[in-house]
Amino acid sequence: MSQTLSAVATEAATTPAAEAAPAGAEKRANPMGSAFRPLLLDVAAPLAGYYLLHSAFGMSEFAALAWSSAVPAARTVFGLLRERTLNLWAALMLAVNLAGLALTFLTGDARMMLAKDGLLSGSVAVAILVSALVGKPVMTPVLMPFLTKGDHARAAAWQRLVEGRAAASRSFHRHERLFSAIWGTALLGECAARVIGAFTLPVSTMAWLSTVFLIGAIVAGSMLGQTAAEPMAKLVTAEADAPTAA
């Protein structure tokens, strides 16, 4: 099964008027809750379904991938038909699962099995890089709950920056594209290292080294990503504190 980013996707549903709403409504619009709900539905559910079906119920890898694609497939179609929008994380998980189904036919030996996971993580990397290139970086929502810290004023400031309604939106967009580019590059490097290692190193070595490659990519993405995340945090703070944001 493909390696998956420890990330969350969301849209901040909070507006300045929400601060005057009743306590119950404010709780329902909690940005942190809105952030982790798509993570559970679009990422955790397909992954848990795959491992449960494959490991616990003994389904073949192909069958487990197929059945675990049901949730992201349904959410992708629902978004397109009813909301006229593309659920990026659901679509990404669906694409990864479909790539896994296709590559399952190529896993006749242990080396191909090792390379397959690298190719799947590579498909995630390419999707992230393309999203940054077209101006809709999928990694931006990952930062939302961490930079807004559940604060309604910061969440509203975040939304204005994302939607281009703030003076600093251009700088914000530049840094959000950089953040996605950094993570996409880190994962693409992990993919290349895994594929090369699968065909050049002993299988017994790659069995544990592949995990090291993944951890290294996550550490690199986290550390280098701060060069984009920190300026974004400052822009959110400045926008939230601006007199016009009151």
Side-chain angles (χ1 to χ4, degrees), residues 36 45 50 154 239-240:
F36 285 100
Y50 168 79
R154 293 177 67 86
E239 177 64 22

Side-chain angles (χ1 to χ4, degrees), residues 5-84:
L5 300 179
S6 55
V8 294
T10 185
E11 292 183 3
T14 310
T15 62
E19 296 178 4
E26 202 169 298
K27 182 178 181 181
R28 288 192 297 271
N30 187 295
M32 291 294 285
S34 298
F36 285 100
R37 192 176 303 112
L39 172 67
L40 294 174
L41 292 174
D42 299 329
V43 178
L47 282 175
Y50 168 79
Y51 286 112
L52 184 65
L53 294 172
H54 184 51
S55 301
F57 291 95
M59 278 192 178
S60 67
E61 185 176 11
F62 186 91
L65 280 170
W67 281 106
S68 64
S69 301
V71 172
R75 283 177 59 79
T76 300
V77 173
F78 178 83
L80 290 173
L81 295 181
R82 181 168 179 175
E83 301 172 3
R84 298 294 190 275

Side-chain angles (χ1 to χ4, degrees), residues 58 75 96 127 138 175 197 200 216:
R75 283 177 59 79
V96 168
V138 296
H175 286 102
T200 59

